[in-house]
Structure formats: structure tokens, C-alpha cells
Amino acid sequence: MKNLVDNMIHKAKVTYNQANAKMKERFYDMTGTTSASVKEIADFIKNHPDSKLNKKNYLGLQFSFYKMELRGIHYYLELKDSSILQVDVHDQNEQIVAYRSYRDKYSLHTPIKFPALEK
């Protein structure tokens, strides 16, 4: 019985987060607010020619650390194999994005208010 209740609670949370992401996406589209998902930001950092890559191997797992500064904005991406563990974007005055896979409730595809990504 406890398993059934736990599954129902989990499904409700997932459904709520998906609905929240869709509402945000529509709101940003309607208002013309630029946004990007954590996945899009991570791909931008990973594929940008100015990104500095540092790879480490711990206990047989491959970790990749990307750092970049672009027009006064600092970008940081941490991957385990190909899974996104951490994404940070900040300028001198404020944190723009702080994503941690182990604690954040939104998915990698939830839109976040973010300045347009330019290569």
C-alpha cells in the first residue's frame, strides 16, 4: 500500500513539474522573454570554441569540467560521462543559473529566463 501511495505522489510531482514547465514556456513565448533550458545552456558551453575542458577519471567514471568567460559572464558545466551534474552561469553581480542534478526540481528541458545564447 505504501508503494502505491509513493508512486501516486511521484506521478503527481512529475505531472506538476511538467505542467509548470509548459506554463513557463508559453509565458515566455507570449511575453517575448528569452529563455533557454539547462540542456541548451549545457550544450552551448560544451560546444563553444572558447570553452576550456578538463577531464578527470575517478573510480572508473569519466568527469568533464568546462569553464568559459564570455563578455563578462562566467559559465561552468560539470558532466559525469554524458550526464549533466552542474551548470552555473553568473556575472560579477548575480547568479543567472545554478543547476544541480541532485537537488533541482525542474527537468533539463524546463525553460529558464536567460539572455539569448550567441556563439
Side-chain angles (χ1 to χ4, degrees):
M1 185 65 157
K2 182 180 180 334
N3 235 359
L4 178 64
V5 172
D6 288 344
N7 283 341
M8 288 175 53
I9 290 171
H10 175 72
K11 285 182 182 181
K13 285 180 181 179
V14 168
T15 302
Y16 171 78
N17 288 334
Q18 288 173 344
N20 189 23
K22 288 289 182 193
M23 287 188 331
K24 272 184 159 181
E25 189 174 352
R26 292 224 175 154
F27 175 76
Y28 290 155
D29 285 343
M30 289 175 9
T31 61
T33 303
T34 57
S35 65
S37 68
V38 170
K39 174 99 173 80
E40 291 171 332
I41 297 167
D43 289 342
F44 172 74
I45 297 168
K46 186 173 158 184
N47 298 318
H48 199 281
D50 292 342
S51 255
K52 307 253 187 306
L53 171 61
N54 186 10
K55 289 188 177 187
K56 301 276 183 175
N57 201 337
Y58 297 113
L59 301 173
L61 299 172
Q62 180 73 38
F63 290 86
S64 303
F65 307 92
Y66 294 84
K67 289 183 180 182
M68 175 177 62
E69 183 186 351
L70 194 61
R71 285 182 239 121
I73 299 177
H74 299 273
Y75 298 85
Y76 177 78
L77 169 64
E78 187 175 309
L79 303 172
K80 181 183 86 180
D81 298 321
S82 61
S83 299
I84 299 169
L85 298 178
Q86 179 175 335
V87 176
D88 287 316
V89 181
H90 64 89
D91 64 10
Q92 291 180 0
N93 300 322
E94 71 175 305
Q95 186 79 28
I96 300 168
V97 174
Y99 173 81
R100 305 293 184 275
S101 62
Y102 58 87
R103 72 156 189 236
D104 288 316
K105 63 182 182 229
Y106 50 84
S107 77
L108 294 174
H109 303 287
T110 301
I112 301 168
K113 186 176 173 182
F114 195 80
L117 296 172
E118 298 175 21
K119 287 198 174 198

